[in-house]
Amino acid sequence: MLVVVALGVSTAGCSATGGKRAEDARKQAAAEGRAAVSTPRWTFAMVTHSGAGDTFWDIVQNGAKQAAAKDNINFLYANSDEAQQQAQLVDSYIDKKVDGLIVTLAKPEAMKAVVAKATKAGIPVITVNSGAELSKSYGALTHIGQDETIAGEAVGDELDERGRKRALCVIHEQGNVGHEQRCAGARKTFGGAMETLYVDGTNMPDVQASIEAKLQTDESIDAVVTLGAPFAAAAVQAKESAGSKAEVDTFDLNAKVATELEDGKLGFAVDQQPYLQGYEAVDLLWLYRYNADVLGGGRPVLTGPQIITGADAAKLKDYAERGTR
Amino acid sequence: MTATAPPGRDRPREPGAAAADERLLHTSTLKKLLGRPELGAVVGAAAVFLFFSVVADGFLRASSLGTVLYASSIIGIMAVPVALLMIGGEFDLSAGVMVTSSALVTSMFAYQMTANVWVGVLVSLLVTLAIGVFNGLMLTRTRLPSFIITLGTFLMLTGLNLGFTKLISGTVSTKSIADMEGFDSAKALFASQLTIGGVELKVTILWWFALVAVATWILLRTRFGNWIFAVGGGAHAARAVGVPVDRTKILLYVGVAFCAWISGQHLLFSFDVVQSGEGVGNELIYIIAAVIGGCLITGGYGSAIGSAVGAFIFGMTSKGIVYAEWNPDWFTFFLGAMLLLATLLNAWVRKRAEATA
């Protein structure tokens, strides 16, 4: 009796779609991680300013790990959102005498001394994501990331092309310089009027309520631009409950954004390709060690902006789900 | 006058200094040694050190130990006054953000007034001490638990840090003061590096050792030290025998503020720009360091040396995980597990010590 029940549950309880099995099948189909080169096994370390459990940085890491597998690299990663801790982590890797370092300069002054220490110790440093303007003066080989002002300008142009007149730029982290640059860039190229709305990004229900209130009070707003993928979903819900006609557009991408682009709930997304930031950083360090090659000619190597619309979203959805877009 | 006898006044010596067959001759010394609050923490620290020496490649390099000591000193400088406060039977949850507040005041005052950086440093000292006095006065006047009082201060300071910085600087971080007069001399005092035998040691390590020495002297050799043990052991009894309980507690909070000022100046002068949102959560790390070091959460028992050993365990663990190349996703889990193990070992050693002593 029990056996019959158990068998019944185990077969009837299976899902024919999605789930772990589908994921494993996708992984099987994905590239196998085997070294494609015969260079020595170097160790590269990456230290970022990310908090714990951040989607964006998870994608950066996936790119770095993929490149590390191909280039026969032992890849190490650490992160802390406290400047002092981040500097100490870099220090630890310098003590370990790693062969290459990848750091973010979100809090540049805190990183200045340790980056100098690394270059003095003969460890090549590549900066990613933030700190484009300081990377060179600190002694890094090159910088890989998106210029936030250029990305903002691309958004302004795209809004014009879509015939928008009144836009709202939603900043979810007060005082984040990159966020201010994105909105300022968009304001510069956008032909219509653009307002800024500050919300508390650590509190999603509050984000939704703030956007909703704004859309209720000003019905002429026809575009809402959020600065991070998780906030796009909140903006879509706010728009629906406020009964607004505004189009929601966003910076950055995740699986949900890709789905909503496909469904037409979102207008477009501006991607900075985090996977590329991790992948290229490791690959460029490898190139430097192997062949003393440096990319970018002393200028930042840009990984964005890339405008993504519903037409591209179908393909990207799978990539976003496997954690590489 | 002495209200309660403090634990052993002798400096602890290496365990095992007295051989087993000579125990009869050294009973008093050994007894005192085994009664020390930090004994268990020392054993725990030795265990953690041995563990990472084996599993973490590069942990034993001199430069690595310099980094570990630096990480420990950042926690240790604050763990000393927090330990004293806990021996006095109180908490300070505002200690973490107070460090950031202190750094922000120095930076913004000097910058906005275009004053010599040292003026900012002194203004910051006054402001930070005032926050300490505020904590102490609120506690002694309202008779509310310190947990509540300092939780309020913690939240208010977190808001003030961000609010004032945005208001004055226009962004969430302060402006650079590296090119201002007095910066270099202040940096030399608070954030310089000494190279000893090819190893770079940060000056905070010296500050830390000095603070531990002073706090140990206060606890074991002064009347005020006796008062701290007395108010932590039982405020009513202490008051009954004439200990100025309120003054003692206020001074303990001022001590925390003073050390927050030192830490804050280090934060500022090592990076010359301060992020206003930092420091949240560190107060718990200071308390943990003190507890690993043998302070009782209930007060009346503990030591300054113990807090230093606790901070060292924390520093070794947090950096040892990096040297050991463990998966960073599990970092905080390992940190928590190591701390629990160290504290359990600590408690076990103390129990054994009490049984044999």
Side-chain angles (χ1 to χ4, degrees):
Chain A
M1 177 69 205
L2 271 178
V3 178
V4 174
V5 171
L7 274 175
V9 166
S10 63
T11 48
C14 276
S15 162
T17 55
K20 178 84 179 115
R21 202 180 299 167
E23 188 189 334
D24 288 344
R26 272 199 305 271
K27 273 191 183 150
Q28 288 269 311
E32 293 273 318
R34 266 199 307 272
V37 292
S38 56
T39 45
R41 191 159 175 81
W42 290 311
T43 300
F44 294 163
M46 185 184 230
V47 182
T48 70
H49 64 272
S50 138
D54 184 301
T55 312
F56 181 93
W57 289 104
D58 197 43
I59 301 172
V60 174
Q61 267 191 82
N62 284 340
K65 282 174 182 163
Q66 183 67 44
K70 279 186 188 170
D71 294 341
N72 191 25
I73 299 296
N74 175 26
F75 176 72
L76 305 173
Y77 178 87
N79 61 287
S80 173
D81 47 10
E82 295 246 337
Q84 200 166 24
Q85 288 286 332
Q86 201 196 343
Q88 277 180 18
L89 287 167
V90 177
D91 247 340
S92 311
Y93 285 131
I94 296 172
D95 297 338
K96 277 190 74 74
K97 298 190 166 62
V98 293
D99 303 295
L101 263 171
I102 303 158
V103 296
T104 61
L105 300 181
K107 291 147 185 176
E109 297 78 12
M111 302 304 287
K112 193 172 181 172
V114 282
V115 171
K117 189 174 160 185
T119 47
K120 207 176 116 195
I123 301 171
V125 180
I126 283 185
T127 58
V128 291
N129 184 264
S130 40
E133 60 290 340
L134 292 163
S135 173
K136 201 174 171 182
S137 61
Y138 281 13
L141 294 182
T142 186
H143 177 84
I144 302 162
Q146 169 176 268
D147 184 309
E148 301 297 4
T149 310
I150 295 176
E153 287 168 1
V155 169
D157 289 334
E158 184 72 19
L159 287 173
D160 276 343
E161 239 166 76
R162 290 166 174 263
R164 301 288 147 183
K165 293 283 166 272
R166 279 184 60 77
L168 187 66
C169 198
V170 185
I171 293 188
H172 61 261
E173 218 176 278
Q174 273 208 39
N176 180 318
V177 182
H179 290 183
E180 301 283 354
Q181 283 171 341
R182 285 178 176 183
C183 285
R187 193 172 292 117
K188 200 165 108 187
T189 51
F190 181 47
M194 178 169 272
E195 269 189 89
T196 308
L197 176 72
Y198 287 103
V199 295
D200 175 11
T202 56
N203 185 345
M204 244 353 148
D206 178 68
V207 172
Q208 190 189 324
S210 301
I211 298 172
E212 206 174 309
K214 185 76 198 173
L215 291 175
Q216 281 162 343
T217 49
D218 189 346
E219 290 178 355
S220 63
I221 291 175
D222 56 12
V224 178
V225 181
T226 58
L227 303 187
F231 304 96
V236 168
Q237 283 176 8
K239 165 190 136 176
E240 282 165 3
S241 27
S244 159
K245 294 276 173 291
E247 170 187 279
V248 180
D249 305 307
T250 185
F251 280 83
D252 296 346
L253 193 69
N254 63 14
K256 193 166 170 71
V257 166
T259 311
E260 290 190 327
L261 279 171
E262 215 182 358
D263 300 346
K265 285 183 178 174
L266 289 174
F268 64 91
V270 191
D271 192 28
Q272 60 169 313
Q273 307 184 85
Y275 184 84
L276 208 50
Q277 291 178 7
Y279 186 96
E280 285 301 322
V282 170
D283 216 26
L284 292 184
L285 276 177
W286 179 85
L287 278 167
Y288 180 77
R289 291 219 73 105
Y290 171 68
N291 208 25
D293 282 334
V294 179
L295 201 64
R299 298 261 175 93
V301 178
L302 299 184
T303 61
Q306 190 190 35
I307 302 272
I308 294 163
T309 57
D312 324 304
K315 182 173 58 191
L316 295 188
K317 198 172 69 180
D318 292 346
Y319 301 159
E321 270 169 7
R322 75 177 183 200
T324 61
R325 279 307 294 252
Chain B
M1 67 152 290
T2 320
T4 56
R9 287 169 171 255
D10 287 62
R11 292 193 61 100
R13 299 188 329 187
E14 284 299 306
D21 57 337
E22 292 176 357
R23 276 175 63 168
L24 285 174
L25 292 174
H26 289 276
T27 305
S28 60
T29 322
L30 188 69
K31 246 191 179 160
K32 276 179 183 163
L33 190 66
L34 290 174
R36 296 295 311 157
E38 62 271 359
L39 172 74
V42 171
V43 176
V48 172
F49 186 86
L50 276 176
F51 175 74
F52 280 116
S53 306
V54 174
V55 300
D57 167 49
F59 181 76
L60 280 178
R61 277 195 202 121
S63 61
S64 308
L65 291 179
T67 306
V68 167
L69 272 177
Y70 172 56
S72 309
S73 71
I74 296 296
I75 300 162
I77 287 176
M78 289 304 292
V80 169
V82 166
L84 259 55
L85 183 67
M86 283 176 70
I87 296 169
E90 301 296 347
F91 280 108
D92 189 349
L93 297 181
S94 64
V97 283
M98 207 191 290
V99 170
T100 314
S101 304
S102 174
L104 289 169
V105 170
T106 304
S107 168
M108 291 198 287
F109 189 88
Y111 187 90
Q112 297 300 329
M113 300 289 161
T114 324
N116 185 302
V117 169
W118 282 100
V119 177
V121 170
L122 290 176
V123 168
S124 165
L125 176 64
L126 293 176
V127 171
T128 318
L129 291 183
I131 299 169
V133 171
F134 171 82
N135 273 338
L137 277 178
M138 286 294 285
L139 176 86
T140 53
R141 291 290 152 87
T142 61
R143 301 266 177 248
L144 287 169
S146 57
F147 199 85
I148 304 294
I149 301 279
T150 56
L151 185 65
T153 314
F154 156 69
L155 292 171
M156 288 193 292
L157 283 181
T158 310
L160 285 173
N161 285 352
L162 180 61
F164 265 121
T165 311
K166 265 298 260 198
L167 185 74
I168 295 171
S169 304
T171 61
V172 286
S173 63
T174 61
K175 296 191 165 65
S176 172
I177 57 164
D179 53 356
M180 295 179 70
E181 266 177 43
F183 184 87
D184 293 328
S185 54
K187 187 179 172 102
L189 179 63
F190 291 110
S192 57
Q193 296 204 112
L194 316 153
T195 313
I196 299 171
V199 184
E200 283 184 347
L201 291 175
K202 295 267 199 317
V203 74
T204 45
I205 300 170
L206 296 181
W207 278 101
W208 179 34
F209 288 171
L211 283 169
V212 172
V214 169
T216 305
W217 174 77
I218 287 175
L219 275 179
L220 302 183
R221 290 272 182 272
T222 67
R223 196 169 58 160
F224 184 70
N226 289 343
W227 290 349
I228 297 174
F229 282 108
V231 299
H236 292 300
R239 200 174 275 114
V241 293
V243 173
V245 173
D246 289 3
R247 189 176 12 140
T248 305
K249 289 198 171 177
I250 291 171
L251 276 172
L252 285 173
Y253 275 105
V254 169
V256 174
F258 176 75
C259 292
W261 171 74
I262 295 174
S263 303
Q265 303 318 294
H266 170 71
L267 190 67
L268 170 63
F269 290 111
S270 42
F271 305 142
D272 90 60
V273 166
V274 191
Q275 307 282 333
S276 59
E278 298 197 342
V280 176
N282 289 351
E283 62 281 341
L284 289 176
I285 294 175
Y286 308 144
I287 291 171
I288 292 167
V291 171
I292 297 176
C295 286
L296 288 184
I297 298 240
T298 48
Y301 187 82
S303 78
I305 294 172
S307 80
V309 179
F312 187 53
I313 289 179
F314 207 94
M316 277 193 294
T317 311
S318 68
K319 296 296 164 281
I321 291 171
V322 176
Y323 292 118
E325 299 185 15
W326 291 349
N327 181 342
D329 296 350
W330 297 88
F331 177 89
T332 36
F333 170 79
F334 286 136
L335 200 61
M338 293 289 283
L339 294 176
L340 266 183
L341 284 172
T343 319
L344 279 172
L345 183 69
N346 176 348
W348 180 78
V349 168
R350 192 187 306 155
K351 239 193 210 112
R352 302 280 307 187
E354 279 164 2
T356 53

